[in-house]
Amino acid sequence: MRPPREHYREVVRRTPFHSRTTRANELNLWHRWRDYTVADAYFDVTLEYTALRNACAVFDISPMTKHRIEGPDALSFLNRLVTRDVARIGPGRVGYCVWCDDGGQVIDDGTLFHLQPGSYRLCSQERQLDWLTRSALGFNVSIREETEEVAALALQGPTSCTVLRALGLDGIETLAPFAMRTYALAGAELLVSRTGYTGDLGYELWTAPAQAEALWDRLFQAGEAYGIRPMGTHALEMARIEAGYIQAGVDFLPADRAVRVDRTRSPFELDLGWLVDFSKPNFTGRRALLDEQRRGSRYRLVRLDVEGNKPAKDAYVYDDRRNVIGAVTSALWSPMAKSSIALASVRMPWGRPTDELWAEIYYQKELKWNRLNARCRVVKGAFYEPARRRLTPPPAW
Amino acid sequence: MNRFDAIVVGGGHNGLTSAAFLARAGLRVVVLERNPYIGGATVSRELHPGWVYSNCSYVCSLLRPEIYRSLELGRHGLQIVPYGGGVTFTRDGDVLGGYVDKEVRRREIARYSARDADAYLRYGRDVMRQCRLVRSLLMRTPPDPTSWRPRDLREMLHVGREFARLGEAGIYDTIRFYTMSIADYLGEYFESDVVKANFAGSGIIGTALGVQSPGTAYVLLHHYMGDVDGQAGAWGFARGGMGAVSRALAAAVQAHGGEVRSDAPVARIRTRAGRVVGVALENGDELDAPVVLSALDPKRTFLGLFDAGDLDPRLVKRARDFKIRGSSGKLNIALDGLPSFPALGPKHPLLAGDMHFLDSLERFERAYDDWKRGTWSQDPYLDLLMPTMTDPTMAPPGKHFMSVFVQYVPHRLAGREWTDADRDAFRRTVFAQISRYSPDFEKLVVHAEVRTPQELEAEVGLTEGNIFHGELTFDQLLFNRPFPGFAQYRGPFRGMYLCGSGTHPGGGVMAAPGANAAREVLRDLRRGSTVPEGWSDD
């Protein structure tokens, strides 16, 4: 039996939290995250962002693509798929991963949840069923997309641990970064992982769609005294750039979507070399990545501290002799770093700490356009990384 | 006043396009059309009061936007209206909907195979890679690969460079793509037979090959390489019917001082001492010009407009051997109301899309088997559209025009001519196929025009009824179209040119052959080109 054909009548779907996000969305601002409609902002982007960094904020991550990978060969399959050693991600742990095509070009990045021995959930930006299924030839695994079967919220910010304790999740403070634990909440199963896309202390809560509304209600009840607020995509975008995280389709083009073959990037070219483990068994792209190590990369992802206060959105990046050497992929004025920050892709060998780089920024004030060349400094690591992110137990607020 | 700078034989869209660019360059041009109406196969006629048919070609996507803009076809009344999606009906009463919204379309494919829904993106990417390669060649004259002339070398270099841009793996893929069958190609992406059948039609439309025949993957590309306002692969209607395209082109010819004569059948092209001097009409009139372009297909041009003794035997043989097999027919139907399609239900958005009724590759191949045996497919592939769901100008309010393209239909029935009884039996086969999915359809029919390859040949002048002026197989593409040595639009006499779809880059109401031929004429006359360059995709 095929699924019903009437699905076309609901072109854009509602997430399991829609009744709650609608009520919370005072601005009535929405956009489309593939199949689903999600909030751009609920009441004020700046205040939502502030809630995240100052108290805690809730973001509906239900539309994120989720695949379940199970079976006797699940581990060996995943180890062939991704560049890092999956054997080191034990049950109850989560690992950030990247996977490549045969040419060593990044298809997508995502988080791999080792739910139970031999059972994994892979969360990613893009749908991967075609690639996963083709990669599974010769492996005894079952792969299916389970995006619709899981409702999920991200709870992020300094008071997030305290809120979860108030929710009744005993011992949540002992949950280490990239660990997960299952709780029973009002008779339903709730999976909590200490993960997120904000670079802050934070958790992600996973449950069945039928439990979604109850989870939202309880969470906001528990968080009321701790400044909990809903957060839309705009505020999340600010946080992820501050954290220096990359996004598929924004900071790199997924290799299996590239019509123009020279537009893709390798893990090394996205500053993800630390995820590539040549000492583990064979994995897709290994030979090409070894070649790249020998021959050198074509590009480098750099994090830039841009002089002045104008966001370097879509700016060309120049060397000190006015040659275009790359472009900014994400940029914003960072309220926490109090600087104009940017992620950029530049041609090798540029992007060394000592290089003098310039961003050509266009901005307008009251309909008048201005152009400015801003000096950029290459910085290492996140633009903002509070200590609480890694502390176990985390501070109360 | 029968002296011209250039004469164009044939008033279809390519002949008119050539004439418009030549007139724009200041040449005194006349287009000679044998029918009382212009347009060739790009034509709209009112055969039943109140209904305007797109009698032959019926949808538009490939018409080069560079030409559209350059000849100001919009100002001359042309409007292309994109239409919404498509649908394949299945025998078990279900549908596979090709919805316009890409997420809805993905969910729909996932009803048949979740994996295929995701593989569709990879398929789209790979087809787009091939589109970009072929698009870069459309508004160019194919290089002669045996020539050492600087221009040919330069053009070969262009082809080579575009090819190299695909990368190593892409080059291998391309060579495979051009020689594969559509069935094999789709098999590399999809597992569901319904999904494969849904995409397979584009590989065989207008082509006397089956889905398992090598070369059909390219035919699919030929249907994907167009766009409507940058929407790659999208198809639309010419508002008012396809005749609007030729009307706008004729207006462009006239705006530049050119002349378009209908009811002016050309008997032959006159030559003297190795060069053309004009044409002779069937009524005996002679028109003089140092340049004559033939928009007729290569067979009609070389075997019809010349005496065999005028031409080299090798050319006569090549023209005779040119592959131009007819494989399709067309029904144009006036409907008293909107037929229902129960598998879709009322007010379904895909009623405005293209409809197909073969849900497996096996049925496609069987349909081709019938053609090989010399009869029309008993379970035919139809490309059925109701333009009136989108374009309000083609039928009275509440009434509808249905355009039904039928594959496969042979030029001759097991070696003999079509009779009226055959034609009616063919109509009944098509009606039965539609009625299986639309029980009330037949009751609504008020008039139907039935066109077999024989009518397409007799009325429009398409040899054997082939809609592309010669099949789009690799042996008849690029510098081999129509045949080696004649791919640069120049004929065997000085001043003689080919400008129809039998030349690069082929048919499909693209107008590129006509434009490219005009550019070569102007080059030989040492005049500045009025023909636009192709637009870059980047």
Side-chain angles (χ1 to χ4, degrees), chain A residues 167-169 182-190:
Chain A
L167 187 65
L169 307 188
T182 306
Y183 287 90
L185 184 67
E189 192 175 281
L190 178 71

Side-chain angles (χ1 to χ4, degrees), chain A residues 12 40 60 92 148 177 264 326 349 355 392:
Chain A
V12 188
D40 288 328
D60 180 3
E148 291 173 29
T264 58
D355 282 340
T392 309

Side-chain angles (χ1 to χ4, degrees), chain B residues 459-477:
Chain B
E459 293 171 28
V460 188
L462 300 171
T463 299
E464 297 189 31
N466 184 291
I467 64 170
F468 294 128
H469 279 207
E471 283 174 73
L472 297 171
T473 48
F474 200 37
D475 57 321
Q476 299 193 151
L477 288 177

Side-chain angles (χ1 to χ4, degrees), chain A residues 7 10 129-130 258 260, chain B residues 103 107-108 118 122 129 538:
Chain A
H7 67 91
E10 188 182 46
L129 198 57
D130 179 45
R260 295 156 184 83
Chain B
E103 285 300 330
R107 293 203 296 259
E108 180 72 359
D118 194 12
R122 180 165 54 98
R129 283 183 176 171
D538 282 315

